Amino acid sequence: MRKFSFRSLLTCCIGIGAFVFVLIVLSNKPTVLSTLNSGNLEALPINDSDELFLTLDEGIASLETTASESISEEASPTAIDPFFKVKVKRGDSLSSIFQRVKVPQEDLLAIQKVCPEEWGDQYLDVGQILKFQKNVDGTLVFFEFIKDRLTSYVFTRIDDTFTAEVKEKKVISKKTFHRVEIERGQSVISAGLASGIKQELTLWQLPKLLQWDLDFHHDIHPGDSYEILYFENYIEGEYIGDGDIVAITFNSGKTTHQIVRYRPSEDALIKYYTRDGTSTEGQFLRAPLEYTRVSSNFNPRRLHPIYKRYMPHNGIDYAAPTGTPVYATGTGVVTEAGKKRLNGNYVVLKHGATYQTKYLHLHKIDPKIKVGAKVVQGQRLGSVGMTGAATGPHLHYEFLVNGVHKNPKTVDLPRNEKLKGDELIPFQRHADEVLGLMASFVSSQKRLQAAETAQ
């Protein structure tokens, strides 16, 4: 057996004592130990115990200072929590929302006491946003009622009361231009969306604004194009939707239609006018329904599909599913409404002393459409059917001028209004400016496309 000398025993005791001392020191400083174990230990000079303890003590002092500052900040009664939002649900009231977010009703009463008159009865809409902010002891310090994208009501606590402020955001409108080419398989709407126009609602205005000139269910073909100048609206840089259309140029086949938005005077309505100052609002719509195809055109000598003999076809047959709404193409008075063997269910309208329109083979006639009743342009008369002498569901539509049948597709439809004299000159100046701006956009785009092609 190996014998230990006194010197060896003394050395061993000193070593054990030093190890125990280090353990005691480290056990009294668990935060530092935890910190060191997370990766800081390797950076310390562990070969020199004095330097090690000095570094540990400095670390402890730093940590204690940080912890002290953190505790002090959390305990401060002025510390503010982040905002939180509440979306109004069906059946909500301000009182129930305040209860849900644990804000005393006394605060609600104090807020209502200083409510601006613009807020009115504080009516809540489903989906509206309310913002709250409390300090750490749960006291409400801020409340915001967001009425809509433009207006909000802000309430800020001062002691036991609140101040009120109405905040109004400004809408910035930017003129935006697009040139759209209609390709095979595209409609006016889908082609516009593909070109980058953001809002479908803007595109649906094209058929409405040009319905007196163009039949959008039949006259639009691949290769047609249009240019549109309109406003895009922004709030604080965020796009919120489109505004009014300023002007449209529509190229259908070899025909170009141009319309410009204009107000002739301060007390006049804003309308759209053609290049020569004629109101786009004609006395008659070009077609009385949305249809799938023309099944039979105007033809003074047509072979009748049922009677198999040549008979004049004094109107246009629009094929459409049964039940498709049929509308009055112009304002007038009902002179006939009933049923006949050949016509089926039919309606005849008289538009002043010159014009007359007829609607045949209806499935049903609307109850309000009776002899003597007045109807306005676009009012529903009934729906598509195949009553009478008909081989399938369609509307037979006739247009008469002074008792003579005319082709509804090509007849020159009368306009309601034309600017004259002092009104016409400023309009022409305005139209030149707007349409000139659009033409410059088109030229710039064509030059850019040519340059890209050349590369």
mmCIF file with all atom_site columns, all heavy atoms in Angstrom, residues 9 23 25 29-30 45 82 116 127 167 236 242 267 281 291 305 315 327 354 362 378 445:
data_model
loop_
_atom_site.group_PDB
_atom_site.id
_atom_site.type_symbol
_atom_site.label_atom_id
_atom_site.label_alt_id
_atom_site.label_comp_id
_atom_site.label_asym_id
_atom_site.label_entity_id
_atom_site.label_seq_id
_atom_site.pdbx_PDB_ins_code
_atom_site.Cartn_x
_atom_site.Cartn_y
_atom_site.Cartn_z
_atom_site.occupancy
_atom_site.B_iso_or_equiv
_atom_site.pdbx_formal_charge
_atom_site.auth_seq_id
_atom_site.auth_comp_id
_atom_site.auth_asym_id
_atom_site.auth_atom_id
_atom_site.pdbx_PDB_model_num
ATOM 1   N N   . LEU A 1 9   ? -0.500  15.144 2.272   1.00 0.00 ? 9   LEU A N   1
ATOM 2   C CA  . LEU A 1 9   ? -1.786  15.316 2.957   1.00 0.00 ? 9   LEU A CA  1
ATOM 3   C C   . LEU A 1 9   ? -2.152  16.782 3.059   1.00 0.00 ? 9   LEU A C   1
ATOM 4   O O   . LEU A 1 9   ? -3.308  17.181 2.829   1.00 0.00 ? 9   LEU A O   1
ATOM 5   C CB  . LEU A 1 9   ? -1.725  14.669 4.342   1.00 0.00 ? 9   LEU A CB  1
ATOM 6   C CG  . LEU A 1 9   ? -2.988  14.739 5.184   1.00 0.00 ? 9   LEU A CG  1
ATOM 7   C CD1 . LEU A 1 9   ? -4.111  13.980 4.461   1.00 0.00 ? 9   LEU A CD1 1
ATOM 8   C CD2 . LEU A 1 9   ? -2.751  14.110 6.568   1.00 0.00 ? 9   LEU A CD2 1
ATOM 9   N N   . LEU A 1 23  ? -17.126 26.489 -4.546  1.00 0.00 ? 23  LEU A N   1
ATOM 10  C CA  . LEU A 1 23  ? -18.516 26.038 -4.585  1.00 0.00 ? 23  LEU A CA  1
ATOM 11  C C   . LEU A 1 23  ? -19.419 26.948 -3.771  1.00 0.00 ? 23  LEU A C   1
ATOM 12  O O   . LEU A 1 23  ? -20.543 27.266 -4.158  1.00 0.00 ? 23  LEU A O   1
ATOM 13  C CB  . LEU A 1 23  ? -18.630 24.598 -4.064  1.00 0.00 ? 23  LEU A CB  1
ATOM 14  C CG  . LEU A 1 23  ? -18.131 23.498 -4.990  1.00 0.00 ? 23  LEU A CG  1
ATOM 15  C CD1 . LEU A 1 23  ? -18.284 22.139 -4.321  1.00 0.00 ? 23  LEU A CD1 1
ATOM 16  C CD2 . LEU A 1 23  ? -18.906 23.522 -6.297  1.00 0.00 ? 23  LEU A CD2 1
ATOM 17  N N   . VAL A 1 25  ? -18.927 30.111 -3.039  1.00 0.00 ? 25  VAL A N   1
ATOM 18  C CA  . VAL A 1 25  ? -19.078 31.401 -3.737  1.00 0.00 ? 25  VAL A CA  1
ATOM 19  C C   . VAL A 1 25  ? -20.080 31.279 -4.871  1.00 0.00 ? 25  VAL A C   1
ATOM 20  O O   . VAL A 1 25  ? -20.980 32.097 -5.039  1.00 0.00 ? 25  VAL A O   1
ATOM 21  C CB  . VAL A 1 25  ? -17.723 31.896 -4.268  1.00 0.00 ? 25  VAL A CB  1
ATOM 22  C CG1 . VAL A 1 25  ? -17.911 33.110 -5.179  1.00 0.00 ? 25  VAL A CG1 1
ATOM 23  C CG2 . VAL A 1 25  ? -16.794 32.222 -3.113  1.00 0.00 ? 25  VAL A CG2 1
ATOM 24  N N   . LYS A 1 29  ? -24.339 32.739 -5.807  1.00 0.00 ? 29  LYS A N   1
ATOM 25  C CA  . LYS A 1 29  ? -24.591 33.601 -6.962  1.00 0.00 ? 29  LYS A CA  1
ATOM 26  C C   . LYS A 1 29  ? -25.174 32.759 -8.095  1.00 0.00 ? 29  LYS A C   1
ATOM 27  O O   . LYS A 1 29  ? -24.570 32.564 -9.138  1.00 0.00 ? 29  LYS A O   1
ATOM 28  C CB  . LYS A 1 29  ? -23.307 34.270 -7.414  1.00 0.00 ? 29  LYS A CB  1
ATOM 29  C CG  . LYS A 1 29  ? -22.733 35.139 -6.272  1.00 0.00 ? 29  LYS A CG  1
ATOM 30  C CD  . LYS A 1 29  ? -21.556 35.893 -6.699  1.00 0.00 ? 29  LYS A CD  1
ATOM 31  C CE  . LYS A 1 29  ? -21.018 36.839 -5.650  1.00 0.00 ? 29  LYS A CE  1
ATOM 32  N NZ  . LYS A 1 29  ? -21.285 36.604 -4.280  1.00 0.00 ? 29  LYS A NZ  1
ATOM 33  N N   . PRO A 1 30  ? -26.409 32.259 -7.933  1.00 0.00 ? 30  PRO A N   1
ATOM 34  C CA  . PRO A 1 30  ? -26.991 31.356 -8.925  1.00 0.00 ? 30  PRO A CA  1
ATOM 35  C C   . PRO A 1 30  ? -27.256 32.010 -10.257 1.00 0.00 ? 30  PRO A C   1
ATOM 36  O O   . PRO A 1 30  ? -27.194 31.371 -11.277 1.00 0.00 ? 30  PRO A O   1
ATOM 37  C CB  . PRO A 1 30  ? -28.306 30.913 -8.259  1.00 0.00 ? 30  PRO A CB  1
ATOM 38  C CG  . PRO A 1 30  ? -28.622 32.011 -7.302  1.00 0.00 ? 30  PRO A CG  1
ATOM 39  C CD  . PRO A 1 30  ? -27.312 32.498 -6.799  1.00 0.00 ? 30  PRO A CD  1
ATOM 40  N N   . PRO A 1 45  ? -11.220 33.958 -18.160 1.00 0.00 ? 45  PRO A N   1
ATOM 41  C CA  . PRO A 1 45  ? -9.867  33.393 -17.968 1.00 0.00 ? 45  PRO A CA  1
ATOM 42  C C   . PRO A 1 45  ? -9.831  32.482 -16.742 1.00 0.00 ? 45  PRO A C   1
ATOM 43  O O   . PRO A 1 45  ? -9.411  32.887 -15.661 1.00 0.00 ? 45  PRO A O   1
ATOM 44  C CB  . PRO A 1 45  ? -8.982  34.629 -17.798 1.00 0.00 ? 45  PRO A CB  1
ATOM 45  C CG  . PRO A 1 45  ? -9.906  35.668 -17.241 1.00 0.00 ? 45  PRO A CG  1
ATOM 46  C CD  . PRO A 1 45  ? -11.265 35.372 -17.789 1.00 0.00 ? 45  PRO A CD  1
ATOM 47  N N   . PRO A 1 82  ? -49.508 48.220 -24.356 1.00 0.00 ? 82  PRO A N   1
ATOM 48  C CA  . PRO A 1 82  ? -49.805 48.473 -25.772 1.00 0.00 ? 82  PRO A CA  1
ATOM 49  C C   . PRO A 1 82  ? -51.307 48.620 -26.005 1.00 0.00 ? 82  PRO A C   1
ATOM 50  O O   . PRO A 1 82  ? -52.127 48.201 -25.199 1.00 0.00 ? 82  PRO A O   1
ATOM 51  C CB  . PRO A 1 82  ? -49.256 47.224 -26.466 1.00 0.00 ? 82  PRO A CB  1
ATOM 52  C CG  . PRO A 1 82  ? -48.310 46.617 -25.497 1.00 0.00 ? 82  PRO A CG  1
ATOM 53  C CD  . PRO A 1 82  ? -48.824 46.952 -24.148 1.00 0.00 ? 82  PRO A CD  1
ATOM 54  N N   . PRO A 1 116 ? -68.156 64.525 -28.826 1.00 0.00 ? 116 PRO A N   1
ATOM 55  C CA  . PRO A 1 116 ? -68.447 65.587 -29.809 1.00 0.00 ? 116 PRO A CA  1
ATOM 56  C C   . PRO A 1 116 ? -69.838 65.398 -30.398 1.00 0.00 ? 116 PRO A C   1
ATOM 57  O O   . PRO A 1 116 ? -70.356 64.280 -30.462 1.00 0.00 ? 116 PRO A O   1
ATOM 58  C CB  . PRO A 1 116 ? -67.362 65.371 -30.880 1.00 0.00 ? 116 PRO A CB  1
ATOM 59  C CG  . PRO A 1 116 ? -66.336 64.504 -30.241 1.00 0.00 ? 116 PRO A CG  1
ATOM 60  C CD  . PRO A 1 116 ? -67.044 63.677 -29.221 1.00 0.00 ? 116 PRO A CD  1
ATOM 61  N N   . GLY A 1 127 ? -68.500 45.212 -37.020 1.00 0.00 ? 127 GLY A N   1
ATOM 62  C CA  . GLY A 1 127 ? -67.218 45.302 -37.707 1.00 0.00 ? 127 GLY A CA  1
ATOM 63  C C   . GLY A 1 127 ? -66.434 46.561 -37.390 1.00 0.00 ? 127 GLY A C   1
ATOM 64  O O   . GLY A 1 127 ? -65.248 46.645 -37.723 1.00 0.00 ? 127 GLY A O   1
ATOM 65  N N   . LYS A 1 167 ? -60.648 63.235 -35.191 1.00 0.00 ? 167 LYS A N   1
ATOM 66  C CA  . LYS A 1 167 ? -59.549 63.121 -36.143 1.00 0.00 ? 167 LYS A CA  1
ATOM 67  C C   . LYS A 1 167 ? -60.100 62.816 -37.527 1.00 0.00 ? 167 LYS A C   1
ATOM 68  O O   . LYS A 1 167 ? -60.848 61.856 -37.698 1.00 0.00 ? 167 LYS A O   1
ATOM 69  C CB  . LYS A 1 167 ? -58.582 62.015 -35.724 1.00 0.00 ? 167 LYS A CB  1
ATOM 70  C CG  . LYS A 1 167 ? -57.702 62.398 -34.548 1.00 0.00 ? 167 LYS A CG  1
ATOM 71  C CD  . LYS A 1 167 ? -56.613 61.359 -34.334 1.00 0.00 ? 167 LYS A CD  1
ATOM 72  C CE  . LYS A 1 167 ? -55.648 61.804 -33.256 1.00 0.00 ? 167 LYS A CE  1
ATOM 73  N NZ  . LYS A 1 167 ? -54.567 60.809 -33.048 1.00 0.00 ? 167 LYS A NZ  1
ATOM 74  N N   . GLU A 1 236 ? -53.391 58.099 -46.334 1.00 0.00 ? 236 GLU A N   1
ATOM 75  C CA  . GLU A 1 236 ? -52.064 57.908 -45.736 1.00 0.00 ? 236 GLU A CA  1
ATOM 76  C C   . GLU A 1 236 ? -51.246 56.878 -46.514 1.00 0.00 ? 236 GLU A C   1
ATOM 77  O O   . GLU A 1 236 ? -50.606 55.995 -45.952 1.00 0.00 ? 236 GLU A O   1
ATOM 78  C CB  . GLU A 1 236 ? -52.196 57.501 -44.260 1.00 0.00 ? 236 GLU A CB  1
ATOM 79  C CG  . GLU A 1 236 ? -52.858 58.583 -43.406 1.00 0.00 ? 236 GLU A CG  1
ATOM 80  C CD  . GLU A 1 236 ? -53.010 58.175 -41.954 1.00 0.00 ? 236 GLU A CD  1
ATOM 81  O OE1 . GLU A 1 236 ? -52.850 56.969 -41.662 1.00 0.00 ? 236 GLU A OE1 1
ATOM 82  O OE2 . GLU A 1 236 ? -53.304 59.040 -41.108 1.00 0.00 ? 236 GLU A OE2 1
ATOM 83  N N   . ASP A 1 242 ? -61.367 53.052 -55.911 1.00 0.00 ? 242 ASP A N   1
ATOM 84  C CA  . ASP A 1 242 ? -61.353 53.971 -57.047 1.00 0.00 ? 242 ASP A CA  1
ATOM 85  C C   . ASP A 1 242 ? -62.394 55.060 -56.880 1.00 0.00 ? 242 ASP A C   1
ATOM 86  O O   . ASP A 1 242 ? -63.419 54.872 -56.219 1.00 0.00 ? 242 ASP A O   1
ATOM 87  C CB  . ASP A 1 242 ? -61.628 53.214 -58.349 1.00 0.00 ? 242 ASP A CB  1
ATOM 88  C CG  . ASP A 1 242 ? -60.502 52.258 -58.699 1.00 0.00 ? 242 ASP A CG  1
ATOM 89  O OD1 . ASP A 1 242 ? -59.396 52.422 -58.144 1.00 0.00 ? 242 ASP A OD1 1
ATOM 90  O OD2 . ASP A 1 242 ? -60.731 51.351 -59.517 1.00 0.00 ? 242 ASP A OD2 1
ATOM 91  N N   . ASP A 1 267 ? -74.501 74.996 -60.628 1.00 0.00 ? 267 ASP A N   1
ATOM 92  C CA  . ASP A 1 267 ? -75.815 74.493 -60.232 1.00 0.00 ? 267 ASP A CA  1
ATOM 93  C C   . ASP A 1 267 ? -76.297 73.349 -61.138 1.00 0.00 ? 267 ASP A C   1
ATOM 94  O O   . ASP A 1 267 ? -77.427 72.880 -61.008 1.00 0.00 ? 267 ASP A O   1
ATOM 95  C CB  . ASP A 1 267 ? -76.849 75.620 -60.240 1.00 0.00 ? 267 ASP A CB  1
ATOM 96  C CG  . ASP A 1 267 ? -76.957 76.313 -61.595 1.00 0.00 ? 267 ASP A CG  1
ATOM 97  O OD1 . ASP A 1 267 ? -76.070 76.083 -62.438 1.00 0.00 ? 267 ASP A OD1 1
ATOM 98  O OD2 . ASP A 1 267 ? -77.904 77.090 -61.788 1.00 0.00 ? 267 ASP A OD2 1
ATOM 99  N N   . GLU A 1 281 ? -76.389 60.396 -72.048 1.00 0.00 ? 281 GLU A N   1
ATOM 100 C CA  . GLU A 1 281 ? -77.673 59.841 -71.610 1.00 0.00 ? 281 GLU A CA  1
ATOM 101 C C   . GLU A 1 281 ? -78.699 60.002 -72.719 1.00 0.00 ? 281 GLU A C   1
ATOM 102 O O   . GLU A 1 281 ? -79.353 61.025 -72.853 1.00 0.00 ? 281 GLU A O   1
ATOM 103 C CB  . GLU A 1 281 ? -78.142 60.527 -70.331 1.00 0.00 ? 281 GLU A CB  1
ATOM 104 C CG  . GLU A 1 281 ? -77.209 60.297 -69.142 1.00 0.00 ? 281 GLU A CG  1
ATOM 105 C CD  . GLU A 1 281 ? -77.700 60.995 -67.897 1.00 0.00 ? 281 GLU A CD  1
ATOM 106 O OE1 . GLU A 1 281 ? -78.788 61.619 -67.939 1.00 0.00 ? 281 GLU A OE1 1
ATOM 107 O OE2 . GLU A 1 281 ? -77.002 60.928 -66.875 1.00 0.00 ? 281 GLU A OE2 1
ATOM 108 N N   . TYR A 1 291 ? -78.261 39.414 -72.828 1.00 0.00 ? 291 TYR A N   1
ATOM 109 C CA  . TYR A 1 291 ? -78.602 38.216 -73.595 1.00 0.00 ? 291 TYR A CA  1
ATOM 110 C C   . TYR A 1 291 ? -77.350 37.440 -73.973 1.00 0.00 ? 291 TYR A C   1
ATOM 111 O O   . TYR A 1 291 ? -76.220 37.952 -73.877 1.00 0.00 ? 291 TYR A O   1
ATOM 112 C CB  . TYR A 1 291 ? -79.391 38.591 -74.854 1.00 0.00 ? 291 TYR A CB  1
ATOM 113 C CG  . TYR A 1 291 ? -78.629 39.513 -75.788 1.00 0.00 ? 291 TYR A CG  1
ATOM 114 C CD1 . TYR A 1 291 ? -77.904 39.000 -76.851 1.00 0.00 ? 291 TYR A CD1 1
ATOM 115 C CD2 . TYR A 1 291 ? -78.640 40.899 -75.604 1.00 0.00 ? 291 TYR A CD2 1
ATOM 116 C CE1 . TYR A 1 291 ? -77.208 39.826 -77.703 1.00 0.00 ? 291 TYR A CE1 1
ATOM 117 C CE2 . TYR A 1 291 ? -77.952 41.731 -76.450 1.00 0.00 ? 291 TYR A CE2 1
ATOM 118 C CZ  . TYR A 1 291 ? -77.228 41.198 -77.493 1.00 0.00 ? 291 TYR A CZ  1
ATOM 119 O OH  . TYR A 1 291 ? -76.524 42.024 -78.331 1.00 0.00 ? 291 TYR A OH  1
ATOM 120 N N   . PRO A 1 305 ? -89.489 30.456 -89.003 1.00 0.00 ? 305 PRO A N   1
ATOM 121 C CA  . PRO A 1 305 ? -89.108 29.094 -88.623 1.00 0.00 ? 305 PRO A CA  1
ATOM 122 C C   . PRO A 1 305 ? -90.292 28.181 -88.330 1.00 0.00 ? 305 PRO A C   1
ATOM 123 O O   . PRO A 1 305 ? -90.151 26.952 -88.371 1.00 0.00 ? 305 PRO A O   1
ATOM 124 C CB  . PRO A 1 305 ? -88.268 29.312 -87.349 1.00 0.00 ? 305 PRO A CB  1
ATOM 125 C CG  . PRO A 1 305 ? -88.738 30.621 -86.808 1.00 0.00 ? 305 PRO A CG  1
ATOM 126 C CD  . PRO A 1 305 ? -89.076 31.457 -88.002 1.00 0.00 ? 305 PRO A CD  1
ATOM 127 N N   . GLY A 1 315 ? -88.001 43.128 -86.062 1.00 0.00 ? 315 GLY A N   1
ATOM 128 C CA  . GLY A 1 315 ? -87.296 43.388 -84.806 1.00 0.00 ? 315 GLY A CA  1
ATOM 129 C C   . GLY A 1 315 ? -86.077 42.508 -84.684 1.00 0.00 ? 315 GLY A C   1
ATOM 130 O O   . GLY A 1 315 ? -85.603 41.923 -85.664 1.00 0.00 ? 315 GLY A O   1
ATOM 131 N N   . TYR A 1 327 ? -86.036 45.054 -69.615 1.00 0.00 ? 327 TYR A N   1
ATOM 132 C CA  . TYR A 1 327 ? -86.175 46.428 -69.146 1.00 0.00 ? 327 TYR A CA  1
ATOM 133 C C   . TYR A 1 327 ? -86.684 47.348 -70.250 1.00 0.00 ? 327 TYR A C   1
ATOM 134 O O   . TYR A 1 327 ? -86.420 47.118 -71.436 1.00 0.00 ? 327 TYR A O   1
ATOM 135 C CB  . TYR A 1 327 ? -84.827 46.959 -68.638 1.00 0.00 ? 327 TYR A CB  1
ATOM 136 C CG  . TYR A 1 327 ? -84.207 46.102 -67.564 1.00 0.00 ? 327 TYR A CG  1
ATOM 137 C CD1 . TYR A 1 327 ? -83.161 45.222 -67.867 1.00 0.00 ? 327 TYR A CD1 1
ATOM 138 C CD2 . TYR A 1 327 ? -84.665 46.149 -66.248 1.00 0.00 ? 327 TYR A CD2 1
ATOM 139 C CE1 . TYR A 1 327 ? -82.583 44.432 -66.889 1.00 0.00 ? 327 TYR A CE1 1
ATOM 140 C CE2 . TYR A 1 327 ? -84.099 45.357 -65.267 1.00 0.00 ? 327 TYR A CE2 1
ATOM 141 C CZ  . TYR A 1 327 ? -83.062 44.501 -65.587 1.00 0.00 ? 327 TYR A CZ  1
ATOM 142 O OH  . TYR A 1 327 ? -82.498 43.706 -64.621 1.00 0.00 ? 327 TYR A OH  1
ATOM 143 N N   . THR A 1 354 ? -93.308 60.338 -81.258 1.00 0.00 ? 354 THR A N   1
ATOM 144 C CA  . THR A 1 354 ? -92.495 59.813 -82.359 1.00 0.00 ? 354 THR A CA  1
ATOM 145 C C   . THR A 1 354 ? -92.147 58.339 -82.215 1.00 0.00 ? 354 THR A C   1
ATOM 146 O O   . THR A 1 354 ? -92.154 57.595 -83.201 1.00 0.00 ? 354 THR A O   1
ATOM 147 C CB  . THR A 1 354 ? -91.192 60.632 -82.485 1.00 0.00 ? 354 THR A CB  1
ATOM 148 O OG1 . THR A 1 354 ? -91.520 62.021 -82.630 1.00 0.00 ? 354 THR A OG1 1
ATOM 149 C CG2 . THR A 1 354 ? -90.369 60.174 -83.681 1.00 0.00 ? 354 THR A CG2 1
ATOM 150 N N   . LEU A 1 362 ? -92.852 37.247 -73.643 1.00 0.00 ? 362 LEU A N   1
ATOM 151 C CA  . LEU A 1 362 ? -92.427 37.302 -72.244 1.00 0.00 ? 362 LEU A CA  1
ATOM 152 C C   . LEU A 1 362 ? -92.946 36.084 -71.474 1.00 0.00 ? 362 LEU A C   1
ATOM 153 O O   . LEU A 1 362 ? -94.051 35.590 -71.714 1.00 0.00 ? 362 LEU A O   1
ATOM 154 C CB  . LEU A 1 362 ? -92.933 38.574 -71.585 1.00 0.00 ? 362 LEU A CB  1
ATOM 155 C CG  . LEU A 1 362 ? -92.447 39.903 -72.204 1.00 0.00 ? 362 LEU A CG  1
ATOM 156 C CD1 . LEU A 1 362 ? -93.171 41.076 -71.563 1.00 0.00 ? 362 LEU A CD1 1
ATOM 157 C CD2 . LEU A 1 362 ? -90.938 40.048 -72.033 1.00 0.00 ? 362 LEU A CD2 1
ATOM 158 N N   . GLY A 1 378 ? -85.043 51.819 -68.055 1.00 0.00 ? 378 GLY A N   1
ATOM 159 C CA  . GLY A 1 378 ? -84.389 50.853 -67.179 1.00 0.00 ? 378 GLY A CA  1
ATOM 160 C C   . GLY A 1 378 ? -85.324 50.145 -66.221 1.00 0.00 ? 378 GLY A C   1
ATOM 161 O O   . GLY A 1 378 ? -84.882 49.256 -65.480 1.00 0.00 ? 378 GLY A O   1
ATOM 162 N N   . GLN A 1 445 ? -46.804 54.801 -73.928 1.00 0.00 ? 445 GLN A N   1
ATOM 163 C CA  . GLN A 1 445 ? -46.840 53.352 -73.781 1.00 0.00 ? 445 GLN A CA  1
ATOM 164 C C   . GLN A 1 445 ? -46.388 52.656 -75.058 1.00 0.00 ? 445 GLN A C   1
ATOM 165 O O   . GLN A 1 445 ? -45.659 51.660 -75.013 1.00 0.00 ? 445 GLN A O   1
ATOM 166 C CB  . GLN A 1 445 ? -48.251 52.899 -73.397 1.00 0.00 ? 445 GLN A CB  1
ATOM 167 C CG  . GLN A 1 445 ? -48.618 53.204 -71.956 1.00 0.00 ? 445 GLN A CG  1
ATOM 168 C CD  . GLN A 1 445 ? -49.936 52.558 -71.563 1.00 0.00 ? 445 GLN A CD  1
ATOM 169 O OE1 . GLN A 1 445 ? -50.605 51.933 -72.375 1.00 0.00 ? 445 GLN A OE1 1
ATOM 170 N NE2 . GLN A 1 445 ? -50.313 52.718 -70.303 1.00 0.00 ? 445 GLN A NE2 1
#
